[in-house]
Amino acid sequence: METTKKELSYFRLKLENYLSEYFPEMQNDKPFITARADEALTTYCDAVAQGFSHPEAESMASEVLYRGLHFSKYDTLVSVLENEFEKELPSPLPERLSPILLKNKAVQSVFDKYELSDDFGASTEYEKLYTELTGTIVLLIEVNGLPTVDSENLA
C-alpha cells in the first residue's frame, strides 16, 4: 500500500510541477490534479500488470497525465512578450505579466477564436494566434499608457 501512495505522490508532484510552469492558472485546481494523478496511476499499474516495462508504463501514464495540456496559453503569452516586447518588458516581467493577461477579456477573446488542442502549437493557425496576440498586447499597452522600460536605466 505504501508503494501506491508514493506512486500517487509521484504523479501528483509531476503534474503540479508541470502546471506551475505551463498552466499556473490551474495549479490550485485540486480536484483536477487528484483525478488526473489517479488516472495516471491506474494507467501505470494496469500497464505493468499487462506486462509492459516500467519505462513503457511511465510513458503511457505520462500521456494520460498531460492529456489536453500540451498547448499552454500562458506559455504562448510568455513567448509573445519575450520575443516581441523584449525591450519594453525585460525578464522576469513576461512571466509576471502573463497570468494577468490571461484574465484580460481582450486577450481571452483572441484565444477563444481558435480551437486549441494539444498539437495547436504546430499548426498553421498558431502563427495567426501569435500575430493577433501581439497586436492585442500593443493595443493594451497603448490604451493603458504603459511606459516603456529603458534597459540602460535598470542598473
Side-chain angles (χ1 to χ4, degrees), residues 30 49 53 126:
K30 299 303 177 196
S53 69
Y126 177 78

Side-chain angles (χ1 to χ4, degrees), residues 70-71 76 113-131:
H70 294 288
F71 179 80
T76 300
K113 293 178 185 179
Y114 297 89
E115 269 189 59
L116 305 176
S117 62
D118 278 351
D119 57 355
F120 183 80
S123 74
T124 56
E125 291 289 294
Y126 177 78
E127 288 301 318
K128 292 178 187 175
L129 171 68
Y130 185 98
T131 302

